[in-house]
Amino acid sequence: MSYSDHGYKYDVFINFRGEDTRRTIVSHLYTALCNAGINTFLDDKKLAKGEELGPELYTAIKMSHIFIAVFSPNYAQSSWCLNELAHIMELRHRRHSYSPRVVIPLFYHVDPSDVRKLKGDFGKGLKVSADKIFSQSGAEREEVLMSKWRRALAEVTNLVGWDANNFRNEGDLVQKLVEDILTKLDMSVLSITEFPVGLEPRVQSITKILYDESRKACMIGLWGMGGSGKTTLAKAIYNRIHREFQGKTSFIESIREVCDYNRKGIIHLQEQLLSDLLKTKDKIHSIAVGINKIEKRLQGQKVLIVLDDVTKSEQLKALGGNPKLFGSGSVLIITTRDRSHLDSLSARVFTMIEMDKNESLELFSWHAFRQSCPRKDFGKLSRNVVSYCKGLPLALEVLGSYLSKRTEQEWRSALSKLTKIPNNEVLQILRISYDGLEDYTEKDIFLDICCFFIGKNRVDVTEILNGCGLHADIGVSVLIERSLIKVDKNNKFQMHDLLRDMGRAIVSESSAKEPEKHSRLWCHEDVLDVLSKKTGTKTVEGLILKWQRTGRICFGTNAFQEMEKLRLLKLDGVDLIGDYGLISKQLRWVDWQRSTFTFIPNDFDQANLVVFELKYSNVKQVWQDTKLLEKLKVLKLSHSKYLKSSPDFSKLPNLEKLVMKDCQSLSNVHPSIGDLKNLLLINLKDCIILENLPREIYQLKSVKTLILTGCSTIDKLEEDIVQMESLTSLITTGTSIKEVPYSILRLRSIVYISICGYEGLSHEVFPSLIRFWMSPTINSLPRIPPFGGMPLSLVSLDLENNNNNNNNNLSCLVPKLNSFSELRSFRVQCQSMIQLTRELRRFLDDLYDANFTELETSHTSQISVLSLRSLLIGMGSYHTVINTLGKSISQVPSLCSRLN
């Protein structure tokens, strides 16, 4: 694609000495030009080796409009640079059919008069180049080139140029120079950030996609939290591609702000859109009229539209946010904090990712020190600030500018303040997303996660918040769409530190206005103050209190007496003395670590608990007298080293998760576990003296995950495991289990398995298990089975070498099956798939006395009666992976399912 409106392929060509300027002024200038949408040629790799300019470089110079000659101390030592300059100055005098070429000299760490008069180090450098030519090509060649070089240098130094010494820093120089070039090119570009660190790779990745999909209308969504650089990136992309659209471009900026502060804001934006694209001054009197005009007048046209900071679907509808409206090659870019708007339009979404440490430090340094790295004496302090900002461009820019030119002591004071009082300018930008939430439930969910649930499992927290009446299933999804929270690969809530600080600041702000009204307490000093003075307790909904290095904390339960609204409670190393009946009956979540009681006090009301975590406790028995806890869904008792037995589960009818990791004294799991019809997870990892699982555990049809890792004394899994029909993950690493239950192959839902050294996805593990079971070296089986009524675990039948023997086929097994009381599996070897299918048909017909096509619903129960617990059928060599069978006899789905 060509970007130029002037008949040139390149807007700017940079002539420079690499070793002097490649990583400094030229790098910054090139990036700034590109971000301004200026198509710039930079021969950074040198298109040809040697002193002569190659045809590719000649073409690039010929096809360029503006030339920047960067004169640096060692410039004249490069005959390459001098030859380029001479060719540029020759072309400058040639007439171009569109517009004349422009040459701009830039003097970088060199005196312009030294270049003009060829004196000083610059003059000496020219002499070095001349001597090289003389030694290589002789005096005549030297004289010709020196004449061209002097003439070019004399001419270029008489042009209006730029002296880096006249600017306080490179940033100012680059900004002014780019603005000057824009004026010379007569371009309509958007002003973007002064220091576009890390912007170029992001622009390139998106523009590449736009070019690849240029045959159709393309919609791109830039999605991320406030201050993440969405608008800056959108402007840079706009600048890069806008000249492809022959003036039919529109950048509608700050839509949220315009619509929030102007009742007719959306109408004004519709007028702006039509004016930008059609160069008209239409007056619009209603949103509906505006929509109609936009749809009729822009239908099928190739346009570039950027809709910045969209907050409502109505804004998209009113401003042509539909790629189907426009012609092929059109580009529609939307920036938003709410992903749902992009998903509803099937836009291609690009998530704004935080800057990495190196990018963060560079951006911060440009704002704080006006250079690419910190000053030596501020290195550690700068890294501390960058760590606090967590890659958020807005915070890096604001804090960098705030700390610029301040003393070291002021820096330290500011850092100390930030840990308690976040920067208000940053918070106000971030708060926009919070203020835009629809109702109090979404705001409460956000504040609860900010204060209590970062790093907690999404499913567990959703259950807790649902128990609080906050409709968390939809509320959490909204917060994710609005970029306020994230969910990591382990399904745990995460949040940018500055968003967390913003949420906590909102809570603190409310408390500051009304000191007697605390809703959530997480700061150690605040909690101690409230509990000690018993003030402001009536409005407390959530509280965290952890022991400090000074030792355990002890409070009377009467400190909680007035906390009637308390929903969420986390205690760590805290002892409560007194009547537990004084503690709120509204508790939905209790996380009590390092408790000292030996059993949960009987007077502690847990009727409304949804999640109960009692880790690192001293309990020997969970409850003395188990009370009905109908709402309890998650029970975690991990690391309770004195706990000998699980609780009686008969009073926990709706339990979904049971986690008892590292309970080193646990020797018994109560049989009532078999009554838990909703149980999904059992985690008994590292319960090292637990020898057996109760038989009732295999009755649990709802359990999806069973973890027995590290239960070193468990040595057996029963064949009854086949009853656990929902089991998807079975993990038994580090147990004493030596045999895999044959029935495990009949678990249709199993996905991941780790047992007896076999580990991986079930469709990978099962063939290995089958080969092991059927291997003659393992089972010492004869190739022709002895039909003598002796108990066998596995029968092997070879039809491959005996296909003429009528007494040696599958059907001959049928009369003998009842005598094989221990029969668990048999292997069949055939010459061909046709033979296998024929023999299987005969066998099944004779075994069930039924038509082959009617077997699907009947044969499984028959096999159970005959103790034929696993029907393993192989074709050809037993080394062949036998799940190929499923491809040929799809008429028997229940058989095939055991192999796939």
Side-chain angles (χ1 to χ4, degrees):
M1 288 188 175
S2 172
Y3 294 92
S4 180
D5 295 326
H6 304 286
Y8 294 103
K9 182 176 182 181
Y10 301 106
D11 295 315
V12 173
F13 182 105
I14 303 178
N15 165 248
F16 67 102
R17 174 71 160 145
E19 67 181 49
D20 286 353
T21 60
R22 179 182 290 109
R23 292 182 176 84
T24 53
I25 183 66
V26 169
S27 174
H28 302 149
L29 179 58
Y30 176 75
T31 300
L33 289 167
C34 289
N35 286 330
I38 300 172
N39 194 21
T40 305
F41 181 87
L42 183 73
D43 183 19
D44 193 31
K45 297 178 180 178
K46 299 302 179 187
L47 295 175
K49 299 295 183 183
E51 303 301 326
E52 299 297 329
L53 306 185
E56 243 185 298
L57 192 59
Y58 271 116
T59 301
I61 293 173
K62 183 179 179 180
M63 295 300 294
S64 297
H65 183 193
I66 296 177
F67 301 88
I68 303 174
V70 184
F71 295 110
S72 56
N74 295 308
Y75 178 96
Q77 293 183 24
S78 170
S79 58
W80 181 284
C81 291
L82 293 166
N83 286 335
E84 265 189 6
L85 179 66
H87 187 57
I88 288 168
M89 298 311 292
E90 288 175 10
L91 280 176
R92 177 173 176 266
H93 296 291
R94 298 181 189 176
R95 181 178 179 83
H96 192 277
S97 57
Y98 291 93
S99 57
R101 294 180 176 88
V102 178
V103 181
I104 302 172
L106 169 58
F107 303 98
Y108 184 74
H109 295 165
V110 65
D111 193 322
S113 65
D114 286 352
V115 180
R116 186 177 300 111
K117 299 177 181 179
L118 304 179
K119 65 177 185 178
D121 290 338
F122 193 89
K124 293 176 183 177
L126 187 64
K127 182 68 168 59
V128 170
S129 293
D131 291 343
K132 285 182 184 177
I133 297 300
F134 178 80
S135 64
Q136 294 171 1
S137 306
E140 184 176 347
R141 176 67 173 163
E142 176 199 10
E143 184 177 347
V144 171
L145 287 177
M146 282 294 289
S147 175
K148 289 176 64 175
W149 294 345
R150 288 193 184 99
R151 186 166 58 250
L153 288 166
E155 185 177 350
V156 74
T157 52
N158 283 321
L159 300 174
V160 176
W162 299 73
D163 185 353
N165 293 323
N166 294 334
F167 296 84
R168 56 178 182 160
N169 56 59
E170 283 185 20
D172 287 344
L173 168 61
V174 168
Q175 183 179 1
K176 298 294 184 184
L177 181 53
V178 170
E179 290 174 357
D180 179 61
I181 291 171
L182 292 175
T183 301
K184 288 179 169 60
L185 291 171
D186 189 27
M187 294 170 58
S188 300
V189 297
L190 304 172
S191 174
I192 57 175
T193 181
E194 183 179 2
F195 303 108
V197 177
L199 190 58
E200 180 59 22
R202 294 166 172 83
V203 173
Q204 288 183 4
S205 67
I206 294 176
T207 53
K208 182 181 185 303
I209 291 170
L210 295 177
Y211 299 150
D212 291 344
E213 300 184 1
S214 59
R215 293 184 179 180
K216 61 181 182 180
C218 187
M219 177 182 284
I220 297 291
L222 306 181
W223 172 62
M225 62 185 285
S228 58
K230 300 182 296 296
T231 301
T232 299
L233 179 57
K235 287 182 176 180
I237 296 168
Y238 177 93
N239 286 344
R240 186 68 56 87
I241 68 174
H242 78 286
R243 278 181 285 165
E244 275 296 301
F245 297 87
Q246 288 81 45
K248 291 191 175 180
T249 64
S250 181
F251 193 107
I252 308 296
E253 193 168 3
S254 304
I255 293 173
R256 174 196 58 80
E257 188 175 348
V258 172
C259 293
D260 284 353
Y261 294 101
N262 188 330
R263 187 170 57 87
K264 294 187 176 181
I266 199 71
I267 293 176
H268 294 326
L269 295 178
Q270 288 177 321
E271 291 173 345
Q272 179 189 335
L273 181 68
L274 289 172
S275 175
D276 290 343
L277 297 174
L278 303 176
K279 314 306 178 192
T280 62
K281 295 294 182 182
D282 289 14
K283 292 299 291 182
I284 296 174
H285 302 289
S286 71
I287 295 174
V289 170
I291 292 173
N292 188 49
K293 282 191 175 184
I294 289 170
E295 290 179 349
K296 283 188 175 181
R297 302 190 64 181
L298 299 181
Q299 181 73 43
Q301 297 200 34
K302 180 182 176 181
V303 298
L304 167 60
I305 299 174
V306 180
L307 302 179
D308 173 55
D309 199 10
V310 171
T311 56
K312 297 179 181 179
S313 57
E314 292 83 359
Q315 297 163 354
L316 287 172
K317 183 178 180 181
L319 296 170
N322 181 3
K324 296 179 181 178
L325 174 65
F326 306 111
S328 61
S330 294
V331 174
L332 179 59
I333 300 173
I334 299 168
T335 76
T336 183
R337 305 182 188 202
D338 188 345
R339 178 166 181 148
S340 64
H341 299 317
L342 304 176
D343 291 339
S344 66
L345 294 171
S346 301
R348 188 158 188 166
V349 179
F350 290 84
T351 303
M352 302 301 295
I353 300 173
E354 291 84 2
M355 304 180 82
D356 63 32
K357 290 182 180 178
N358 293 331
E359 290 176 335
S360 297
L361 186 60
E362 182 180 353
L363 180 60
F364 175 78
S365 298
W366 279 115
H367 286 275
F369 308 106
R370 294 285 158 167
Q371 60 188 42
S372 61
C373 59
R375 283 169 35 193
K376 288 184 178 179
D377 47 340
F378 284 87
K380 185 176 181 180
L381 287 169
S382 295
R383 284 188 288 274
N384 288 341
V385 178
V386 167
S387 177
Y388 169 81
C389 294
K390 292 292 188 295
L392 188 68
L394 169 70
L396 292 163
E397 294 173 6
V398 169
L399 295 179
S401 300
Y402 173 71
L403 294 169
S404 181
K405 299 181 180 179
R406 296 189 185 275
T407 65
E408 184 177 338
Q409 183 59 36
E410 288 175 319
W411 273 59
R412 295 186 185 281
S413 176
L415 270 170
S416 177
K417 179 181 177 182
L418 282 173
T419 60
K420 296 181 179 179
I421 308 173
N423 179 274
N424 187 61
E425 185 177 349
V426 175
L427 290 190
Q428 291 307 311
I429 297 295
L430 298 178
R431 180 161 181 164
I432 291 169
S433 297
Y434 172 83
D435 291 337
L437 294 174
E438 299 288 332
D439 56 51
Y440 79 92
T441 62
E442 293 170 358
K443 292 181 177 180
D444 277 349
I445 292 170
F446 175 73
L447 297 179
D448 282 345
I449 294 174
C450 283
C451 298
F452 306 115
F453 295 126
I454 295 175
K456 290 286 187 178
N457 181 273
R458 175 181 180 173
V459 176
D460 293 352
V461 175
T462 300
E463 293 283 11
I464 294 167
L465 299 176
N466 280 339
C468 297
L470 295 178
H471 311 288
D473 293 283
I474 183 62
V476 165
S477 296
V478 168
L479 296 181
I480 293 171
E481 291 169 350
R482 301 280 178 96
S483 307
L484 285 167
I485 60 175
K486 300 177 183 178
V487 178
D488 66 17
K489 61 181 180 181
N490 296 316
N491 206 33
K492 294 183 177 180
F493 283 128
Q494 301 297 340
M495 181 182 296
H496 195 285
D497 287 359
L498 294 178
L499 284 171
R500 175 204 63 199
D501 293 347
M502 181 267 290
R504 293 182 176 183
I506 291 170
V507 175
S508 299
E509 182 181 298
S510 299
S511 300
K513 292 178 179 177
E514 298 182 77
E516 299 300 314
K517 292 186 178 181
H518 302 277
S519 65
R520 297 163 182 85
L521 295 168
W522 65 92
C523 178
H524 186 73
E525 291 78 12
D526 291 344
V527 176
L528 291 180
D529 183 64
V530 168
L531 291 178
S532 300
K533 297 178 181 178
K534 301 177 185 176
T535 57
T537 57
K538 290 185 177 182
T539 56
V540 174
E541 297 178 40
L543 179 151
I544 293 179
L545 181 58
K546 297 182 180 182
W547 70 290
Q548 304 295 299
R549 293 181 180 178
T550 53
R552 299 183 66 84
I553 302 171
C554 184
F555 271 101
T557 55
N558 58 354
F560 294 83
Q561 185 171 2
E562 293 186 358
M563 294 186 184
E564 298 174 354
K565 295 184 178 181
L566 188 63
R567 303 177 285 117
L568 313 170
L569 177 63
K570 179 171 182 176
L571 303 174
D572 188 348
V574 177
D575 296 324
L576 297 182
I577 301 173
D579 180 4
Y580 278 75
L582 299 177
I583 299 176
S584 173
K585 296 176 174 57
Q586 300 304 315
L587 283 170
R588 265 56 175 188
W589 172 60
V590 171
D591 181 354
W592 198 334
Q593 300 189 25
R594 279 168 271 272
S595 61
T596 55
F597 44 68
T598 56
F599 59 87
I600 298 171
N602 291 328
D603 54 354
F604 181 24
D605 194 316
Q606 304 148 63
N608 286 306
L609 275 183
V610 176
V611 175
F612 195 1
E613 303 182 52
L614 199 64
K615 295 176 285 189
Y616 299 99
S617 72
N618 286 346
V619 294
K620 296 180 181 179
Q621 180 180 354
V622 183
W623 291 285
Q624 273 191 328
D625 180 21
T626 307
K627 297 179 181 178
L628 181 61
L629 303 180
E630 287 188 292
K631 296 182 179 179
L632 189 66
K633 294 192 175 183
V634 180
L635 179 61
K636 297 184 178 182
L637 303 167
S638 299
H639 315 291
S640 296
K641 59 184 178 180
Y642 303 115
L643 182 63
K644 295 181 180 181
S645 176
S646 75
D648 180 344
F649 298 103
S650 60
K651 299 294 182 67
L652 313 177
N654 295 306
L655 195 67
E656 295 180 359
K657 291 186 178 181
L658 174 64
V659 183
M660 301 178 70
K661 296 188 295 184
D662 189 34
C663 293
Q664 299 180 12
S665 300
L666 186 73
S667 59
N668 177 56
V669 176
H670 200 280
S672 60
I673 193 171
D675 298 329
L676 299 176
K677 305 303 182 185
N678 299 312
L679 195 60
L680 302 173
L681 166 71
I682 302 173
N683 189 344
L684 299 171
K685 179 181 178 182
D686 294 330
C687 293
I688 55 177
I689 71 167
L690 181 64
E691 296 182 359
N692 299 298
L693 298 176
R695 199 87 182 203
E696 291 80 2
I697 205 168
Y698 299 111
Q699 301 172 10
L700 295 170
K701 297 183 183 298
S702 59
V703 168
K704 294 185 176 181
T705 303
L706 176 60
I707 302 173
L708 302 175
T709 305
C711 296
S712 53
T713 54
I714 291 181
D715 59 5
K716 185 179 181 181
L717 287 178
E718 300 293 341
E719 294 287 348
D720 293 344
I721 197 170
V722 72
Q723 299 176 52
M724 303 180 77
E725 59 188 35
S726 298
L727 193 65
T728 59
S729 298
L730 174 63
I731 306 172
T732 66
T733 310
T735 65
S736 296
I737 297 172
K738 297 294 190 297
E739 294 184 2
V740 182
Y742 279 76
S743 63
I744 205 167
L745 269 68
R746 301 217 305 274
L747 288 171
R748 297 179 180 227
S749 58
I750 195 80
V751 174
Y752 180 84
I753 187 169
S754 173
I755 187 169
C756 296
Y758 295 93
E759 183 173 359
L761 298 177
S762 59
H763 71 269
E764 298 170 347
V765 169
F766 282 179
S768 299
L769 277 172
I770 295 170
R771 285 195 296 269
F772 173 80
W773 287 334
M774 301 184 72
S775 170
T777 59
I778 299 300
N779 295 282
S780 301
L781 295 171
R783 300 284 281 184
I784 304 298
F787 298 136
M790 63 183 67
L792 296 176
S793 63
L794 186 147
V795 171
S796 174
L797 183 62
D798 188 348
L799 302 181
E800 185 175 6
N801 299 312
N802 297 277
N803 59 322
N804 292 323
N805 186 348
N806 292 331
N807 293 323
N808 192 21
N809 55 39
L810 282 174
S811 296
C812 75
L813 280 176
V814 176
K816 309 291 184 180
L817 286 178
N818 286 323
S819 63
F820 296 154
S821 59
E822 299 298 320
L823 183 63
R824 300 162 74 92
S825 62
F826 67 91
R827 182 184 71 245
V828 182
Q829 290 182 229
C830 302
Q831 283 184 326
S832 68
M833 186 71 72
I834 295 174
Q835 184 186 16
L836 173 63
T837 305
R838 183 178 66 248
E839 293 293 341
L840 179 62
R841 182 186 299 274
R842 288 177 184 172
F843 171 75
L844 293 174
D845 282 348
D846 291 343
L847 177 62
Y848 303 118
D849 193 24
N851 186 281
F852 181 82
T853 57
E854 298 173 355
L855 292 174
E856 182 175 343
T857 60
S858 63
H859 74 277
T860 303
S861 59
Q862 297 265 5
I863 289 173
S864 177
V865 172
L866 294 168
S867 300
L868 193 59
R869 297 178 184 171
S870 293
L871 185 58
L872 308 177
I873 301 176
M875 183 192 72
S877 168
Y878 50 77
H879 297 295
T880 304
V881 178
I882 64 172
N883 63 6
T884 56
L885 179 63
K887 300 175 183 177
S888 64
I889 51 170
S890 58
Q891 301 99 312
V892 197
S894 54
L895 287 179
C896 300
S897 68
R898 296 167 203 162
L899 306 175
N900 292 306

